[in-house]
């Protein structure tokens, strides 16, 4: 139930030093003496304390059911409260995961529900009672009860709304019973075979009438005019209409198209299958074989009709909430799944919902008027791309002497120079340092450093069809389809001098070489980071070509020394790969000799120095890198700086060809679940890349089994999956997810999957999530050292050295110019 959120580096730089207490993440131990005491509060009961900050990217939608990007968290995190949350431990040297909107630890009540909600005799850890904190109230003082939770889930899973966040209830570790069934209530869905079951014709059952069904009896079809996930929502019909005989054999196309029904599917028979194979393989220019036919199949999924009382979210009493889940779960990961909140004020929420021409929309959480808080602050003013204002919520249940800031004012100030000027004038209490600031402020007593949970990357979406369409629209002799070649993307990776890129764009960041940052925790019970494990080290050593270079008598003494030698930069090898890619592109007729490659780079901000400097660096870097190669003079770049918060969609839709400084956040203590962001089309930046086609071989108990990457994800997440060995032996229903508590095998699979994703060079690790900021003289942080995920204490533990009136006097006495060097 953790929410995966697309993240921009520019936003992470602004927020990472003020992590919210209920955001999932991990922390290292630090010195106990780092804890600071709050200064004495003013004797004036009417004294105010205003925390002033500025952001470069403004929130637009903080509806708990539909938000998608991390910038929305700048509001959402302060108007909701999870059942459990991360907080400092007693001496502020580490973290604890404690009850928050819950009043106690979860209680296993599975025995009470045997025979209900799919629970069978002997089940354990599948029904959990959460006693609610009776002090939790809306900002107007209205109590929040278990019924509010149930009714909020009912709206989250509304079959008409189909909310973006709904899948958080039935994917990952915590799968609420019947959540998905209720969401698709009574519907017949046509599932994309390529990204779901990946059945081949041999897997299917032939019926008496000549049609085919899945092993579970679900009808199978050819997806003629049905949106396919692996094409980012495109259809075979669109391909045919756009590219025709240039890529397809069309002798039987009209015959197949005529068989499609209103849903865009034709029954799968031997004849329709033969038509499909003939169409996609008859012209070698398309480059597919019969083995690819499964990607154009679909199968019918008929969801049962049901009422919400069959869903495993139950109000047992006013302050007792029960979750019934399909997979056993307990301990840390159970509480971790409950650190987010989907609770909404249903009367307001319902008043803002509407359906227009069959399309549902809801403006809850898009303005001050449509936002109601039960968190520490309430939103009292919101002016888009200008300013929003929080005031302390006096009905918040967990004030208890914390949250000294009586208000928080956030302004939209995209220019770094303006933000620095305002900070020096005492009008802002925090300033995020950029490349131009480090020489002056890197050693300042007011500078604070931290590393967050994200890895930022260069991202490509190398789907052939989408790139061909973009190429056609770009004009004559413009080439983009060379991006479909892994050799070209590998050359792009090897030609990037990550160290110098960091120095030029964000000197606090350091180069990254894997999908997961050094802060990601794979064993939260023992605080073990994934990157510190032997499995993770072996992945990096193998991927970067140093796995044979360490040991006695070799170049490096051990694997740690070998990994520390990695720079990711090898210009000679990159130039070799550029030449190979060019030759492949010509041979495969992806490119003509007189073509010029144009890579359009998306910039989420037109004013951010990180993105403007980064773009300039990338253009100069690759222009120099291809000199002396067959691509010299043929590699060009352009930019689109209008994409804003829709950066991920811009890449998926081939509006742009490349992003940089993008990543993921939201699952820092569950890299297993986080893998979904890299391989599932509903999250992937490279949405046109189909991981059901990528086979991965992993050794289980001494036997090598081969399965698609997506199947290994299912195994890792506890879904029974059949695995096949080289000799045809089938390991039926294998799983090693959390319920089996087989951490070694699970970690082994995670490492293998990370390696598989890296080898595609679609998401190329670039830099970590490190940041530096100046702390204003008006405030003190909760700790002098960064404790992830609490950060430096955020608004909860920030204390003030001056009231607002005293601060104005202090700044004026310094001629409105404060020294932070």
């Amino acid at each position: 139930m953790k929410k995966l959120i697309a993240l921009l580096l520019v936003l992470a730089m602004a927020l990472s030093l003020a992590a919210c207490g209920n955001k999932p993440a991990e922390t290292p131990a630090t010195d106990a003496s780092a804890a600071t005491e709050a200064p004495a509060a003013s004797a004036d009961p009417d004294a105010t304390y205003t925390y002033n900050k500025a952001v470069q990217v403004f929130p637009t939608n903080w509806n708990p059911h539909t938000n998608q990007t991390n910038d929305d968290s700048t509001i959402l995190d302060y108007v909701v409260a999870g059942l459990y949350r991360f907080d400092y431990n007693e001496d502020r040297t580490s973290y604890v995961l404690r009850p928050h909107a819950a009043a106690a630890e979860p209680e296993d009540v599975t025995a009470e529900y045997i025979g209900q909600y799919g629970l069978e005799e002997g089940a354990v850890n599948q029904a959990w009672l959460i006693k609610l904190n009776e002090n939790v109230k809306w900002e107007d003082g209205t109590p929040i009860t278990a019924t509010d939770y149930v009714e909020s889930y009912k709206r989250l899973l509304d079959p008409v709304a189909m909310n973006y966040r709904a899948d958080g209830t039935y994917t990952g570790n915590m799968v609420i019973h019947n959540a998905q069934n209720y969401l698709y209530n009574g519907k017949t869905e046509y599932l994309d075979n390529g990204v779901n079951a990946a059945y081949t014709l041999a897997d299917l059952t032939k019926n008496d009438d000549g049609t085919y069904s899945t092993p579970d009896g679900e009808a199978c079809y050819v997806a003629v005019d049905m949106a396919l996930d692996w094409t980012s929502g495109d259809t075979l019909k669109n391909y045919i209409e756009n590219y025709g005989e240039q890529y397809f054999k069309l002798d039987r196309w009209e015959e197949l198209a005529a068989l499609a029904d209103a849903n865009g599917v034709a029954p799968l028979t031997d004849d329709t299958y033969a038509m499909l194979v003939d169409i996609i393989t008859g012209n070698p220019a398309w480059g597919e074989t019969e083995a690819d036919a499964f990607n154009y199949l679909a199968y019918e999924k008929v969801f049962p009709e049901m009422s919400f009382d069959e869903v495993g979210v139950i109000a047992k009493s006013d302050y007792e909430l029960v979750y019934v889940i399909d997979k056993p779960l307990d301990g840390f990961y159970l509480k971790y799944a409950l650190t987010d909140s989907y609770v909404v004020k249903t009367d307001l929420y319902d008043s803002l919902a509407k359906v227009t021409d069959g399309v549902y929309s809801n403006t809850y959480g898009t303005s001050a008027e449509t936002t109601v808080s039960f968190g520490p602050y309430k939103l009292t003013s919101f002016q888009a791309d200008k300013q929003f204002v929080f005031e302390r919520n006096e009905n918040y249940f967990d004030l208890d002497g914390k949250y000294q800031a009586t208000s928080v004012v956030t302004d939209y100030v995209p220019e770094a120079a303006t933000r620095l000027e305002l900070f020096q004038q005492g009008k802002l209490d925090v300033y995020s340092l950029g490349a131009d600031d480090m020489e002056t402020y890197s050693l300042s007593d007011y500078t604070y450093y931290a590393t967050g949970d994200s890895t930022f990357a260069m991202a490509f979406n190398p789907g052939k069809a989408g790139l061909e369409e973009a190429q056609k629209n770009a004009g004559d002799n413009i080439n983009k389809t060379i991006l479909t070649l892994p050799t070209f993307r590998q050359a792009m990776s090897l030609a990037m001098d990550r160290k110098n890129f960091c120095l030029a764009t964000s000197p606090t960041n350091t180069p990254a070489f894997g999908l997961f940052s050094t802060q990601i925790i794979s064993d939260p019970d023992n605080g073990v980071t994934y990157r510190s494990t032997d499995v993770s080290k072996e992945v990096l050593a193998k991927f970067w070509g140093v796995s044979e270079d360490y040991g006695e008598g070799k170049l490096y003494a051990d694997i740690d020394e070998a990994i520390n030698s990695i720079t990711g930069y090898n210009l000679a090898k990159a130039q070799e790969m550029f030449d190979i890619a060019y030759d492949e592109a010509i041979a495969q007729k992806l490119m003509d000799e007189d073509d010029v490659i144009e890579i359009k780079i998306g910039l989420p901000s037109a004013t951010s120095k990180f993105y403007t400097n980064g773009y300039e660096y990338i253009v100069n870097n690759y222009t120099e890198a291809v000199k002396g190669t067959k691509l010299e003079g043929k590699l060009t770049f352009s930019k689109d700086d209008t994409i804003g918060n829709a950066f991920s969609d811009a890449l998926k839709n081939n509006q742009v060809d490349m992003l940089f400084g993008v990543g993921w956040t939201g699952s820092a203590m569950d890299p297993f679940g986080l893998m979904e962001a890299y391989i599932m089309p509903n999250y992937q930046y490279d949405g046109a890349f189909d991981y059901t086609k990528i086979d991965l071989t992993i050794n289980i108990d001494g036997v090598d089994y081969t399965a698609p990457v997506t199947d290994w994800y299912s195994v890792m997440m506890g879904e029974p999956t059949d695995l096949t060995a080289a000799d045809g032996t089938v390991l039926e229903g294998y799983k090693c997810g959390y319920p089996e508590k087989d951490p070694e095998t699970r970690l082994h699979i995670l490492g293998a999957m990370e390696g598989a994703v890296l080898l595609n060079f679609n998401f190329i690790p670039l830099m970590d999530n490190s940041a530096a900021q100046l702390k204003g003289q008006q405030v003190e942080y909760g700790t002098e050292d960064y404790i992830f995920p609490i950060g430096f204490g955020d608004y909860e533990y920030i204390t003030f050295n001056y009231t607002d009136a005293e601060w104005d006097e202090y700044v004026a006495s310094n001629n409105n110019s404060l020294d932070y060097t």
Side-chain angles (χ1 to χ4, degrees), residues 217-238:
E218 298 153 330
C220 296
Y221 300 88
V222 176
V224 177
D225 192 20
M226 184 190 109
L228 299 168
D229 291 336
W230 65 271
T231 66
S232 297
D234 217 332
T235 72
L236 177 59
K237 182 181 179 181
N238 286 343

Side-chain angles (χ1 to χ4, degrees), residues 198-211:
Y199 295 122
T200 66
L201 197 66
D203 297 321
L204 305 178
T205 300
K206 189 173 183 180
N207 302 314
D208 292 340
D209 62 358
T211 62

Side-chain angles (χ1 to χ4, degrees), residues 195 229-230 232 652 676 679-684 686-689:
V195 298
D229 291 336
W230 65 271
S232 297
K652 292 179 181 179
E676 181 181 16
I679 66 167
M680 295 299 183
N682 52 325
Y683 286 109
Q684 289 171 252
D686 55 335
F689 196 82

Side-chain angles (χ1 to χ4, degrees), residues 471 477-482 590-592 595-598:
Q471 181 173 287
N477 297 116
I478 297 297
N479 182 270
K480 295 179 182 290
T481 50
I482 196 171
L590 292 174
M591 181 176 178
D592 295 329
D595 281 356
V596 173
I597 301 162
E598 181 205 45

Side-chain angles (χ1 to χ4, degrees), residues 389-558:
V389 178
F390 283 134
E391 292 183 7
R392 190 170 60 204
N393 177 13
E394 299 302 331
N395 280 316
Y396 179 55
F397 60 95
D398 196 23
L399 287 178
D400 192 25
K402 299 176 288 188
Y403 299 98
Q404 190 178 1
T406 53
S407 61
V408 179
V409 178
T410 302
D411 290 306
Y412 175 61
V413 185
E415 300 83 9
T418 305
R419 294 195 302 275
L420 179 58
E421 181 180 359
L422 292 170
F423 179 75
Q424 292 169 330
Q425 293 172 354
K427 295 178 181 178
L428 294 178
D429 292 307
V430 62
Y431 171 72
S432 296
L433 296 172
D436 296 341
D437 306 311
M438 296 309 294
E439 183 176 350
T440 303
Y441 297 108
S442 63
L443 299 178
S444 169
D445 290 341
Y446 297 95
T447 298
Y448 288 72
Y449 294 89
T451 299
D453 64 322
S454 297
T455 293
F456 295 100
M458 296 189 296
F460 298 96
N461 184 25
K464 185 177 181 181
L467 286 171
E468 285 191 332
E469 184 70 16
Q471 181 173 287
K472 183 172 66 174
N473 294 335
D476 294 338
N477 297 116
I478 297 297
N479 182 270
K480 295 179 182 290
T481 50
I482 196 171
L483 282 167
T484 63
L485 298 176
T487 47
F488 180 81
R489 301 193 302 273
Q490 183 180 6
M492 295 287 284
S493 175
L494 291 169
M496 171 54 69
D497 187 337
R498 290 161 174 79
K499 180 178 179 181
N500 282 331
F501 179 83
C502 291
L503 290 173
T505 60
S506 182
T508 58
N509 294 74
T510 57
F513 307 110
L515 295 184
F516 302 124
S517 83
T518 57
Q519 299 289 353
I520 294 288
I521 294 281
S522 57
D523 179 2
D525 291 326
N526 297 299
V528 177
T529 63
Y530 171 69
R531 290 264 79 100
S532 70
T533 65
D534 290 341
V535 166
S536 166
K537 293 175 184 179
E538 289 165 2
V539 170
L540 293 187
K542 183 177 180 180
F543 178 72
W544 291 105
V546 295
S547 58
E548 303 297 325
D549 297 339
Y550 65 87
E552 186 176 353
K554 295 187 177 181
L555 185 60
Y556 306 109
D558 54 33

Side-chain angles (χ1 to χ4, degrees), residues 226-497:
M226 184 190 109
L228 299 168
D229 291 336
W230 65 271
T231 66
S232 297
D234 217 332
T235 72
L236 177 59
K237 182 181 179 181
N238 286 343
Y239 283 0
I240 298 296
E241 291 177 347
N242 287 330
Y243 307 116
E245 292 181 342
Q246 180 183 1
Y247 288 106
F248 299 98
K249 184 180 179 185
L250 302 183
D251 295 7
R252 303 195 70 186
W253 165 248
E254 293 297 334
E255 186 180 357
L256 177 62
L259 296 173
D261 63 14
N263 297 301
V265 296
L268 180 62
T269 65
D270 289 336
D271 194 33
T272 56
Y273 182 76
M275 294 179 199
L276 171 65
V277 172
D278 187 57
I279 290 165
I280 66 172
T281 68
N283 186 336
W286 189 239
E288 291 190 325
T289 68
E290 183 177 350
D292 297 301
F294 77 95
N295 285 300
Y296 300 91
L297 302 182
Y299 60 93
E300 190 176 77
K301 174 73 173 179
V302 181
F303 288 89
E305 293 186 1
M306 63 173 51
S307 61
F308 192 78
D309 59 14
E310 297 176 77
V311 177
V313 184
I314 307 156
K316 186 176 181 180
S317 70
D318 283 350
Y319 293 100
E320 290 181 307
L321 180 68
V322 174
Y323 288 98
V324 183
I325 54 181
D326 287 342
K327 299 188 296 185
L329 189 66
D330 65 358
F332 176 89
Y333 280 115
L334 174 65
K335 292 188 292 183
Y336 185 59
L338 298 173
T339 55
D340 291 327
S341 177
Y342 297 118
V343 175
V344 295
K345 201 166 193 305
T346 54
D347 53 351
L348 176 62
Y349 188 95
D350 292 345
S351 72
L352 299 170
K354 64 178 181 179
V355 178
T356 304
D357 295 329
V359 178
Y360 176 94
S361 64
N362 195 313
T363 56
Y364 188 90
T366 57
S367 67
E369 294 74 23
T370 60
T371 303
V372 184
S373 174
F374 65 104
Y377 288 92
K378 54 187 178 182
L379 186 65
T380 56
S381 172
F382 181 85
Q383 301 175 71
D385 289 337
K386 185 176 181 180
Q387 183 186 82
F388 64 87
V389 178
F390 283 134
E391 292 183 7
R392 190 170 60 204
N393 177 13
E394 299 302 331
N395 280 316
Y396 179 55
F397 60 95
D398 196 23
L399 287 178
D400 192 25
K402 299 176 288 188
Y403 299 98
Q404 190 178 1
T406 53
S407 61
V408 179
V409 178
T410 302
D411 290 306
Y412 175 61
V413 185
E415 300 83 9
T418 305
R419 294 195 302 275
L420 179 58
E421 181 180 359
L422 292 170
F423 179 75
Q424 292 169 330
Q425 293 172 354
K427 295 178 181 178
L428 294 178
D429 292 307
V430 62
Y431 171 72
S432 296
L433 296 172
D436 296 341
D437 306 311
M438 296 309 294
E439 183 176 350
T440 303
Y441 297 108
S442 63
L443 299 178
S444 169
D445 290 341
Y446 297 95
T447 298
Y448 288 72
Y449 294 89
T451 299
D453 64 322
S454 297
T455 293
F456 295 100
M458 296 189 296
F460 298 96
N461 184 25
K464 185 177 181 181
L467 286 171
E468 285 191 332
E469 184 70 16
Q471 181 173 287
K472 183 172 66 174
N473 294 335
D476 294 338
N477 297 116
I478 297 297
N479 182 270
K480 295 179 182 290
T481 50
I482 196 171
L483 282 167
T484 63
L485 298 176
T487 47
F488 180 81
R489 301 193 302 273
Q490 183 180 6
M492 295 287 284
S493 175
L494 291 169
M496 171 54 69
D497 187 337

